[in-house]
Amino acid sequence: MMIDRNIHLAYFDPKKGHMRNPGMGIHAYVFSDHMHYGFNAAQFSKTEHEAPNRKLKRETLDRMLQLPYTDNLYFRTDWCNIQKEKGRLHIQEELEWLLEAVRESGRKWSFRIMNSSRHSVKNNSVPDFLQDRLEMLPYQNQTCGHGTSYYPAYTEEYLKWWEELLHLLADRFDDDPSLEFVDISGYGIWGEGHHYGMHGQDRSNSNRHAPNAEEVLTRLITAHDRIFAKTPVAMTLHYLDYQAGVDAVENTSLWLRRDSFQRFVSKYEYEAVAKPKPGRAILWETIVPEVREMQPVLFSRERLVQRYLDWGAHYVAMGFNPWEVIYAHQFDLGLYEQIAEKIGYRIRPSVIMRRVNEREEHELIVVLTNDGCVSPPGTLTLTAAFPSGKNVSLELPMGAPEVNDRRYYTLPFPKEDFACTSGQQVTLTLQLRMKGKVHPVKWAVRQPLADEYKASAPLIMPCSGDPFLTPSGTYEPEL
C-alpha cells in the first residue's frame, strides 16, 4: 500500500463582478459611424438618417472615461478620415484623444477602418486623392440625404491602395501593446460584407455580391493577418456567405465578430462561435441601451445579454458612441453587471497542493478553474516563483483552461526549495500570449490579493506518515 504524501496549501474562490483582463471585456465606442442616439425606435431611426455624425466634445469623452465598464476603447472610422494622401496617415482628433486615454489609463483599444459607410458625411468613404483613380459602384441610400452613395469596386487598383493603408496602420500601431485587435475590413458596406441597397435602374433592393468576391476576400483576410504580424485580427461572420470565410473559420485561429445578434443567425455561425478553435476570441456588437422596443432582435437590449453568454463572448459592446455608454451607466447598470459577471475567461487556482512523489521530489500541483463563459483567446503560461529566487514555468495548451475545466498542472520544485516550510511562500502568476503580444493576467479570485496578478500560498510540508494517524498539530499551522 502506498500513501501519497500530499497537502493542500490554499484554496481560492471565484471572483464576483467586473474585472479587466487582456483579450476580453466590454467595448466602449469612442468614435463610429453612429454618432447619434434616440430614446425610442422612431427617434433612433430619425437621427440615424438625418444626423448620424454628431460632433463629439472632449468633455463628453472624458466623462465616459471616468465610468467603470469601459474596458476596451473602440474606434471605427471612414478611410477618408484616416488617410488624406499617399503614404501617410492622418490621425483625426478623436483618435488622438483615444490614444492619450489609453496611455494614461492603461486601457486596451481596437479599431476598424471602413472602405464604405452608409453614414459617411460624403457620399462615399474613399480619400479625396483616390476619387479619380478608383472605380465606384452606386447604390441608393437615404441616410444623410445622399440619395445615391458609392463604394469602391474590388479592382486590383483598389486592393493595392487598401493594402498600402494596412501597411501604414501596422507600421504605426502593430507594436502597440495596448492594441488588442484589428477588424478585417475592406469588403462591403462598413467593411462587413454587406452590399444591400437599391441597385440598378429598376431600383431593386438586393445584396449585390461582387463577382470576384472569393478572390477578394481571400486576399483581404490573408493581408490583414499577415501585415498585422503581432496583433490579432477579427473577421465578421458575414464572410461565411463565401467559401473564403468558411475556409478562414475552419483553417485559422482568426478572431470572429458578429455585427449584431439576429434571429436568422445560422447554424454555421453558431458552430463557429460556440465551438471555436483554441485561441480564438468571439466579439459581439452591440446593445443600444436607450432603445427597448426594436423587433425582431437587432441591437435590442431585452434578454440579449444571456444570448451572448450562452453562445460565448470575449467582448460585448454597449452602444455605438460615448453618449450611449454614459446613458447605460446612468440608467441600465443591470445590463453591465450581467455582462461583467460572466464575460470572457475568469481563471483561478482553485486548489494548490504540495506533493512528494515516489522519487522523493517535491511537486506543486495547481488546479486551474475557468469560471467564465469562454476559453482564454491565446496561450497561457503559468509561473511559480519559489523562495530560492528560481521560477518554474509551464506553457498550457492553447485555449486552456476551458470553461469548467478541472485539469491540474504540475510544476517541479527546484531542489533548493525541497526543505521550504510554511514560513515561506510560493507565488503564482499568469501570462497570456495573443499572436505576437504577451500580457499579464489578473487572477479571478474572491480573496483579497495584495497584487491582483499574484496568488501566493504557504509551503506547508506534507507529513511523512499516514495523515489519518497524524495529529493535526504535526502539520505546520497555516496562519
Side-chain angles (χ1 to χ4, degrees):
M1 177 180 178
M2 185 195 74
I3 298 176
D4 201 32
R5 292 184 60 192
N6 187 85
I7 187 69
H8 296 185
L9 306 181
Y11 309 101
F12 288 95
D13 301 320
K15 180 181 178 66
K16 304 294 184 183
H18 180 228
M19 68 178 303
R20 286 180 181 163
N21 256 329
M24 58 170 279
I26 300 174
H27 271 143
Y29 280 49
V30 170
F31 188 87
S32 78
D33 48 309
H34 283 280
M35 299 299 283
H36 66 96
Y37 57 87
F39 296 106
N40 54 51
Q43 278 188 9
F44 187 88
S45 178
K46 180 178 175 64
T47 57
E48 178 184 12
H49 286 79
E50 296 180 4
N53 297 293
R54 181 178 180 177
K55 177 65 177 173
L56 177 66
K57 296 180 179 179
R58 179 61 187 266
E59 50 264 38
T60 302
L61 178 60
D62 289 343
R63 184 179 170 194
M64 184 193 85
L65 293 172
Q66 295 172 9
L67 302 173
Y69 298 106
T70 53
D71 305 326
N72 184 287
L73 304 180
Y74 185 68
F75 192 84
R76 191 160 100 185
T77 194
D78 287 344
W79 186 3
C80 58
N81 292 335
I82 199 76
Q83 189 178 14
K84 305 289 187 182
E85 58 186 294
K86 181 181 185 299
R88 186 176 179 181
L89 292 180
H90 170 78
I91 306 302
Q92 67 189 83
E93 183 178 46
E94 295 86 354
L95 180 53
E96 290 282 10
W97 295 346
L98 180 151
L99 296 173
E100 180 182 327
V102 166
R103 288 191 298 268
E104 293 179 354
S105 69
R107 287 181 176 89
K108 302 296 191 289
W109 70 292
S110 51
F111 72 85
R112 184 200 312 170
I113 308 303
M114 297 178 292
N115 56 301
S116 171
S117 170
R118 295 167 69 90
H119 305 92
S120 179
V121 174
K122 302 186 299 181
N123 64 10
N124 70 80
S125 302
V126 172
D128 288 343
F129 78 96
L130 292 177
Q131 292 287 329
D132 297 331
R133 304 190 191 194
L134 300 183
E135 177 186 350
M136 306 295 286
L137 301 176
Y139 67 97
Q140 297 303 307
N141 173 27
Q142 303 309 312
T143 304
C144 302
H146 291 320
T148 299
S149 291
Y150 300 85
Y151 57 83
Y154 308 110
T155 62
E156 183 63 31
E157 183 72 3
Y158 163 74
L159 292 172
K160 179 189 75 173
W161 288 106
W162 188 259
E163 288 193 15
E164 185 207 72
L165 171 66
L166 296 183
H167 281 288
L168 292 173
L169 291 165
D171 289 346
R172 176 71 184 267
F173 298 121
D174 195 32
D175 287 328
D176 182 353
S178 60
L179 177 63
E180 285 203 318
F181 71 88
V182 175
D183 281 341
I184 296 174
S185 187
Y187 181 76
I189 300 169
W190 301 299
E192 294 175 346
H194 308 298
H195 294 85
Y196 55 76
M198 292 180 287
H199 304 289
Q201 295 182 349
D202 62 353
R203 297 170 66 85
S204 60
N205 194 14
S206 61
N207 200 349
R208 180 171 57 187
H209 301 275
N212 60 339
E214 296 291 355
E215 174 189 349
V216 169
L217 277 175
T218 298
R219 184 160 164 181
L220 287 172
I221 292 167
T222 302
H224 282 77
D225 194 32
R226 181 187 74 253
I227 293 169
F228 287 94
K230 298 179 181 179
T231 307
V233 293
M235 184 188 81
T236 174
L237 286 170
H238 292 295
Y239 288 1
L240 286 177
D241 290 344
Y242 307 95
Q243 187 61 44
V246 174
D247 290 343
V249 167
E250 293 180 349
N251 301 325
T252 76
S253 294
L254 293 179
W255 292 12
L256 299 178
R257 63 172 301 278
R258 191 59 162 78
D259 67 341
S260 62
F261 189 96
Q262 296 156 311
R263 289 181 176 175
F264 52 79
V265 175
S266 71
K267 174 179 79 80
Y268 302 105
E269 292 177 278
Y270 172 78
E271 290 176 341
V273 301
K275 302 177 181 178
K277 284 187 174 293
R280 173 173 285 163
I282 305 301
L283 302 77
W284 291 97
E285 180 195 45
T286 186
I287 300 170
V288 176
E290 76 272 25
V291 179
R292 299 170 183 266
E293 72 273 23
M294 284 188 181
Q295 294 295 332
V297 178
L298 174 65
F299 309 136
S300 298
R301 55 182 301 285
E302 298 298 337
R303 303 182 66 195
L304 187 54
V305 172
Q306 191 60 50
R307 309 292 78 77
Y308 295 149
L309 302 178
D310 286 346
W311 290 41
H314 291 83
Y315 296 90
V316 171
M318 183 72 74
F320 280 114
N321 53 62
W323 300 290
E324 290 179 330
V325 174
I326 293 169
Y327 176 94
H329 277 82
Q330 185 73 27
F331 298 107
D332 261 320
L333 269 178
L335 284 178
Y336 278 126
E337 290 166 350
Q338 186 183 1
I339 296 169
E341 192 67 30
K342 291 293 287 185
I343 191 173
Y345 60 94
R346 301 171 73 90
I347 298 171
R348 61 188 166 98
S350 55
V351 184
I352 304 173
M353 311 180 199
R354 181 177 183 176
R355 177 176 182 264
V356 181
N357 65 23
E358 298 78 6
R359 299 179 300 277
E360 295 298 315
E361 298 165 336
H362 291 241
E363 299 172 340
L364 192 71
I365 297 174
V366 183
V367 180
L368 291 180
T369 300
N370 183 353
D371 300 302
C373 70
V374 285
S375 300
T379 302
L380 285 172
T381 297
L382 173 65
T383 298
F386 287 89
S388 65
K390 290 190 174 181
N391 294 340
V392 178
S393 295
L394 178 66
E395 184 174 285
L396 279 56
M398 181 176 283
E402 298 177 0
V403 178
N404 296 323
D405 194 351
R406 292 177 174 83
R407 197 179 319 182
Y408 67 83
Y409 299 92
T410 302
L411 296 92
F413 272 55
K415 289 184 179 180
E416 297 89 335
D417 296 288
F418 282 6
C420 288
T421 59
S422 60
Q424 297 158 296
Q425 290 191 328
V426 63
T427 299
L428 299 179
T429 57
L430 280 179
Q431 285 189 320
L432 176 64
R433 186 178 74 249
M434 301 185 296
K435 204 170 183 179
K437 299 180 181 181
V438 178
H439 305 273
V441 174
K442 296 177 183 176
W443 291 108
V445 302
R446 187 176 184 181
Q447 285 79 3
L449 301 176
D451 184 331
E452 291 181 292
Y453 297 97
K454 297 178 179 180
S456 298
L459 287 171
I460 304 169
M461 182 73 74
C463 69
S464 57
D466 188 332
F468 284 100
L469 302 177
T470 303
S472 60
T474 303
Y475 287 105
E476 298 178 285
E478 185 173 339
L479 296 175

